[in-house]
Amino acid sequence: MTGSGSPGQPAEIRYGEADWHVQDLPLAIRPHKTRPFRTLVFLSIIVGFASLLGISSAYVMIEREQPLNAVTIGPWQAYPKAGTAEADPYSVAIYTRGAVVPLASGEGLALVARQDSAGHLLDPTCVYRISGQTPAARLWTLTVTDGDGHLVQTLPGRVYLDSQSLLRNQDGSFEISVANNPHSGNWLPLAAAANASDGLRIVLRLYDAPVTTGAALDGIQLPTIERQACP
Amino acid sequence: MTLSPRFSMTLGAFATVFLAVIIHVLVVFGIPLNVQHSAYDNIAEYGPDRQFNLLPDVRPQQEALPDLDPSMKHAACRFQLVDGPVLFDAGIPTSFWSIGLFNSAGETLYSLNNRTAGADRLSMLVLTPSQLSILRENPPENLENLIVIETDEISGFALLRAHVPHPSKANAVDVALKSATCGTIG
């Protein structure tokens, strides 16, 4: 970077060698004055900012733990390509960094909800109702974790609910209360002592379901998550 | 030649963004190469290679591997195919079990569950193409009944998941997972 001279009025034009750096030549053809210090500072600023930007954007992408090729259905997100050779670089980085062993396509499919059906972030101090239908699957389980995907201590010590122990309506639909204190009917317990900042994820794992073995994911029926009450 | 300050600022901004994109890509691609603890490494803590090791029950603050289903019991087996083909054999008295084969980077090689296995017992042979051609010359009797998986990956691991329908079945599933074999053929 070089400074600019003000294009002031030429007093007189001289061609002596003593004042060769005349200021009234157009900037582009003015002889170059090297300013090593300024150039160095300028380049360091570029490199510094670029590193900051590049590393922080990579960090944000990895920490969000939401790969690019997610399939979103209502509040649920699935990454059917996770852990395969076709996975995008972000999910490869996320899964290897977390040492996560994904559910393979022949086993099942994990769907993660970080929001309720209205689009609000899930809050472990609230009461939610999960209702509706699930896609055809031989077995499915619902698990609650904190915002980082770790299991939490609940009042009854149970952290999941599976399709085999579920109370259903006549038509096969179901309602599940998701709350930290006991509820009648199907109860999925939340963390006994949770702060809103701990975050909440609800993981629905479908085992041996046609959707994991090729059938298209779009158009499948998934349960809704409704917020009932918040403190 | 001298650049106008505006031009050099624009050039600087472009250079910053360009360099930032390169660094972003390098960081994202570099993470898998610089991971301290991969799933392949973590599984080694639970027992020796070439045998199924029962992972502890998935409970809060005691998760053997992240993102495991707490309704399941898991057993893992690490193997290196340079030590010979690996035979998996298990009979698990539960309504659902599945096994996933992963390479050392954690990518899926093969997976199946008790319905797609076509039999109540899991019997699966994993080997390299050259080991398969040697085996074909002198095939074992039960080769027809085995699920044979050829792979070029030399090292990997298998994760066996078995659903526990009720706590009263937990012991039976434990015993079945402990007696599952992951070893040499013959």
Side-chain angles (χ1 to χ4, degrees):
Chain A
M1 186 171 75
T2 59
S4 67
S6 62
Q9 288 293 315
E12 52 183 307
I13 299 170
R14 287 177 303 191
Y15 299 98
E17 214 162 279
D19 47 1
W20 196 64
H21 289 287
V22 275
Q23 292 297 302
D24 34 32
L25 279 171
L27 194 60
I29 58 164
R30 204 178 288 160
H32 184 59
K33 278 181 285 181
T34 51
R35 287 169 165 155
F37 184 69
R38 277 177 88 155
T39 313
L40 198 70
V41 168
F42 187 58
L43 286 179
S44 323
I45 290 175
I46 290 182
V47 171
F49 259 111
S51 313
L52 199 73
L53 215 65
I55 293 172
S56 57
S57 61
Y59 180 79
V60 167
M61 283 300 288
I62 305 300
E63 273 298 296
R64 269 173 72 225
E65 293 194 12
Q66 291 178 40
L68 287 184
N69 54 5
V71 180
T72 308
I73 308 151
W76 306 97
Q77 284 190 313
Y79 319 111
K81 291 219 172 96
T84 67
E86 295 127 75
D88 65 284
Y90 292 104
S91 64
V92 172
I94 292 165
Y95 277 76
T96 49
R97 181 170 169 263
V100 177
V101 184
L103 270 182
S105 62
E107 302 183 286
L109 180 71
L111 295 133
V112 184
R114 294 177 174 84
Q115 299 173 342
D116 63 14
S117 290
H120 300 293
L121 273 182
L122 292 177
D123 180 339
T125 59
C126 293
V127 177
Y128 293 94
R129 196 176 78 127
I130 300 179
S131 60
Q133 303 268 8
T134 57
R138 200 139 56 85
L139 169 74
W140 54 259
T141 63
L142 267 175
T143 311
V144 289
T145 69
D146 66 10
D148 299 321
H150 300 296
L151 296 177
V152 286
Q153 296 284 359
T154 62
L155 274 182
R158 178 170 61 85
V159 288
Y160 67 93
L161 203 61
D162 68 23
S163 58
Q164 293 180 345
S165 58
L166 197 72
L167 305 168
R168 291 172 192 267
N169 299 330
Q170 293 282 323
D171 61 349
S173 65
F174 56 84
E175 282 106 39
I176 299 166
S177 301
V178 187
N180 54 10
N181 49 349
H183 277 64
S184 60
N186 297 309
W187 174 40
L188 182 58
L190 287 179
N195 298 314
S197 60
D198 292 344
L200 170 64
R201 285 187 204 171
I202 301 177
V203 187
L204 173 64
R205 291 186 179 91
L206 305 165
Y207 290 101
D208 193 16
V211 287
T212 68
T213 47
L217 260 173
D218 38 73
I220 62 166
Q221 278 279 318
L222 285 172
T224 57
I225 306 172
E226 291 160 86
R227 190 156 83 179
Q228 302 285 92
C230 271
Chain B
M1 195 180 84
T2 308
L3 301 174
S4 78
R6 218 164 124 198
F7 187 75
S8 47
M9 285 314 284
T10 318
L11 202 68
F14 270 111
T16 309
V17 171
F18 184 69
L19 205 62
V21 168
I22 292 175
I23 291 171
H24 180 94
V25 169
L26 285 181
V27 169
V28 169
F29 278 92
I31 285 173
L33 308 174
N34 293 295
V35 176
Q36 303 288 320
H37 293 285
S38 67
Y40 181 74
D41 297 330
N42 289 353
I43 282 171
E45 292 166 22
Y46 296 97
D49 288 3
R50 286 179 86 88
Q51 75 172 53
F52 269 115
N53 300 304
L54 189 67
L55 303 187
D57 286 0
V58 186
R59 293 218 180 92
Q61 273 110 50
Q62 298 172 18
E63 293 167 77
L65 294 169
D67 265 4
L68 292 183
D69 191 331
S71 73
M72 302 254 172
K73 281 186 182 286
H74 302 80
C77 166
R78 253 165 57 126
F79 57 84
Q80 285 82 33
L81 289 180
V82 274
D83 304 334
V86 188
L87 178 73
F88 295 94
D89 185 79
I92 302 157
T94 175
S95 54
F96 178 86
W97 56 256
S98 68
I99 185 168
L101 274 182
F102 304 88
N103 66 11
S104 51
E107 284 174 10
T108 314
L109 300 177
Y110 192 77
S111 60
L112 58 85
N113 59 53
N114 56 344
R115 187 179 57 84
T116 49
D120 283 344
R121 265 196 104 71
L122 164 72
S123 36
M124 183 166 84
L125 185 66
V126 180
L127 35 58
T128 62
S130 59
Q131 285 167 342
L132 182 62
S133 50
I134 294 168
L135 195 75
R136 280 227 174 88
E137 288 167 12
N138 188 11
E141 288 161 29
N142 59 347
L143 190 62
E144 298 290 307
N145 306 324
L146 290 175
I147 300 163
V148 178
I149 294 151
E150 270 184 87
T151 176
D152 293 320
E153 299 286 343
I154 289 305
S155 53
F157 64 93
L159 186 67
L160 186 58
R161 310 171 200 255
H163 182 241
V164 183
H166 190 267
S168 62
K169 292 276 181 78
N171 270 332
V173 174
D174 264 355
V175 169
L177 284 180
K178 276 180 191 154
S179 61
T181 56
C182 162
T184 316
I185 189 166

